[in-house]
Amino acid sequence: MTAEQEQAGRAKPALKRAKKRVFSGIQPSGDVHLGNYLGAVKGWTRRQHERESFHCIVDLHAITVPQEPETLRRQTRSLAAMLLACGLDPKVCTLFVQGHVSAHAEAAWILNCVTPLGWLERMTQYKDKAAKQESVPTGLLDYPVLMAADILLYDADEVPVGEDQKQHVELTRDIAERFNHLYGETFVVPQPVIPEVGARVMGLDNPMVKMSKTFAHIRGHVVRMLDEPKEIERSVLRAVTDSGNEIRFSDDPEKAGVNNLLGIYQVITEKSREQTERDFVGARGYGDLKKRVAETVIAELTPIRDRYERLMGDPAELDRLLAIGADHARSIASPKLEEMKRKVGLTTQAH
Ligand code: ATP
Ligand code: LTN
């Protein structure tokens, strides 16, 4: 390493801001489900007033697996309406579409050039998704570098995600540290923020796998945010449990189904673990538990569905809000990208 690079690698004090900055993303790759909501989106809405928040609809990530263009377009707008319906307030936070801010793709290219291939090949999500494809697009392998670009362009302090994304945020930290070391202090090294409950909502049909858009076609796997109350009731009442009748939290894999239902109830009601268990003292078996959970989910999702329908009635207004979000995002991302280019030598002027 040159003396200049060594000098550049010394730590710079963390940025001082009035509020911590948060960045998170969600793919417009299918219907939003209870796992996305409880593991990520509900927390975003709760914290948006205490943090300077950026929430991004990551369409460039969505195309790492095949997408029908018209469907992708529709889902992008629909996801924007859903996030607003869940409570993200465009006057308080920044909501935008990743592909509308070209800095993300440019920054990803620069970060690609400092990311060893072996780091990407180790990612468990890549291994899982690649195993399901006959021909693996390069973008699928590169997915976490684009995610690092998303986060680092905004100097985010915190990245609120479900448990499945923790490895990607850790990789982002490694990439940030490597770039800082090679080119001088440039990026804030972000922290993953994983909720204590709800970080891994499991499939109702199989409590050993995480609830996922990928399995949404399997009947009874997900509760979609837009499911009708009858459908929600049917899925929850059919949820796989065990042959016992004890309603309590447990790490026992046998009790994963009951644990999942209690977790869903706890995140929605915002009660403690003890209070949650107390609510089911005297319940008559899992039938009562499921009925109560179904009612709780329906009560939470019904107003969201109503707001979603209203928002989808005015697509021009949705597009206007997304354009404002992208303008603001660009005002932060563009100077950061310029700084990256300068550090790497991609501009003719060093200062
Ligand atoms: P896919 O399963 O197709 O990869 P996904 O359902 O995981 O998609 P994403 O858009 O990748 O959806 O994730 C959006 C957010 O929801 C992320 O923060 C992710 O960690 C979180 N999330 C996804 N599934 C769950 C789940 N089952 N429990 C808790 N959080 C989840
Ligand atoms: N990979 C994430 C989506 C995502 C994201 C981000 C999350 C893309 N960019 C930046 C947090 C921060 C997922 O949820 N599957």
Side-chain angles (χ1 to χ4, degrees):
M1 192 192 305
T2 64
E4 201 183 352
Q5 282 171 330
E6 205 164 347
Q7 159 77 15
R10 287 203 199 120
K12 200 174 79 177
L15 293 180
K16 281 207 168 54
R17 293 196 202 102
K19 284 183 180 176
K20 283 201 170 171
R21 193 177 280 172
V22 164
F23 189 100
S24 202
I26 180 163
Q27 302 185 70
S29 54
D31 295 332
V32 182
H33 55 73
L34 203 58
N36 303 134
Y37 177 62
L38 300 182
V41 181
K42 191 170 163 70
W44 303 350
T45 63
R46 202 172 337 105
R47 281 189 301 269
Q48 64 185 328
H49 295 277
E50 304 146 24
R51 301 278 191 265
E52 184 191 359
S53 306
F54 291 81
H55 296 298
C56 187
I57 297 174
V58 292
D59 53 351
L60 302 178
H61 278 106
I63 61 167
T64 56
V65 295
Q67 303 288 339
E68 216 277 300
E70 209 32 67
T71 310
L72 180 62
R73 233 186 306 280
R74 200 180 52 243
Q75 282 178 347
T76 299
R77 200 184 261 150
S78 156
L79 180 55
M82 179 52 74
L83 294 173
L84 295 169
C86 287
L88 287 185
D89 180 349
K91 290 198 199 76
V92 176
C93 68
T94 304
L95 175 65
F96 71 105
V97 178
Q98 186 187 36
H100 295 180
V101 181
S102 59
H104 290 240
E106 280 192 73
W109 179 257
I110 297 175
L111 296 179
N112 273 332
C113 298
V114 302
T115 306
L117 187 57
W119 289 7
L120 302 180
E121 286 169 336
R122 274 206 312 270
M123 294 293 111
T124 53
Q125 181 177 291
Y126 167 70
K127 288 194 273 188
D128 288 351
K129 289 198 175 176
K132 291 185 196 125
Q133 313 263 334
E134 230 170 75
S135 156
V136 178
T138 308
L140 194 62
L141 176 69
D142 203 28
Y143 180 114
V145 181
L146 178 59
M147 181 162 161
D150 295 343
I151 299 166
L152 299 180
L153 275 173
Y154 296 83
D155 279 321
D157 303 288
E158 296 177 353
V159 184
V161 282
E163 181 69 40
D164 62 313
Q165 295 301 312
K166 193 169 174 216
Q167 194 184 34
H168 288 161
V169 182
E170 273 155 10
L171 182 87
T172 299
R173 292 171 57 86
D174 291 341
I175 295 174
E177 277 166 0
R178 192 174 168 100
F179 191 99
N180 286 349
H181 182 71
L182 290 171
Y183 296 107
E185 207 61 23
T186 308
F187 299 124
V188 168
V189 180
Q191 294 287 345
V193 177
I194 318 278
E196 274 170 37
V197 226
R200 203 167 158 79
V201 176
M202 309 309 278
L204 294 179
D205 62 328
N206 177 359
M208 302 311 286
V209 302
K210 88 160 183 130
M211 186 178 283
S212 161
K213 288 176 195 146
T214 316
F215 302 124
H217 59 282
I218 300 174
R219 195 139 197 234
H221 173 76
V222 292
V223 169
R224 293 181 198 79
M225 300 298 286
L226 294 175
D227 278 348
E228 294 288 335
K230 271 268 157 266
E231 179 74 25
I232 298 176
E233 192 176 31
R234 196 177 312 120
S235 304
V236 177
L237 294 186
R238 284 194 188 156
V240 170
T241 45
D242 55 281
S243 56
N245 59 7
E246 228 186 318
I247 304 176
R248 61 174 171 81
F249 286 103
S250 161
D251 294 335
D252 180 354
E254 271 283 300
K255 307 266 302 173
V258 169
N259 209 56
N260 192 35
L261 292 174
L262 283 174
I264 291 172
Y265 178 86
Q266 187 189 352
V267 190
I268 296 180
T269 58
E270 300 181 11
K271 291 184 178 178
S272 69
R273 227 170 134 92
E274 295 68 34
Q275 184 57 55
T276 300
E277 286 182 343
R278 241 179 284 138
D279 281 2
F280 294 97
V281 171
R284 278 160 306 151
Y286 296 158
D288 275 5
L289 166 69
K290 289 177 180 178
K291 226 171 127 230
R292 187 83 171 270
V293 172
E295 283 162 11
T296 309
V297 172
I298 291 167
E300 178 85 357
L301 300 194
T302 300
I304 295 178
R305 218 180 50 233
D306 293 346
R307 281 196 295 272
Y308 169 87
E309 298 299 347
R310 272 201 303 279
L311 286 156
M312 283 300 277
D314 193 351
E317 175 62 6
L318 281 173
D319 291 349
R320 190 185 72 85
L321 293 175
L322 290 174
I324 293 173
D327 281 346
H328 185 239
R330 227 175 269 121
S331 75
I332 310 282
S334 298
K336 195 75 199 179
L337 176 65
E338 282 312 306
E339 184 186 349
M340 290 171 72
K341 286 182 169 175
R342 200 166 9 88
K343 294 250 168 91
V344 173
L346 294 174
T347 47
T348 47
Q349 288 179 347
H351 301 289

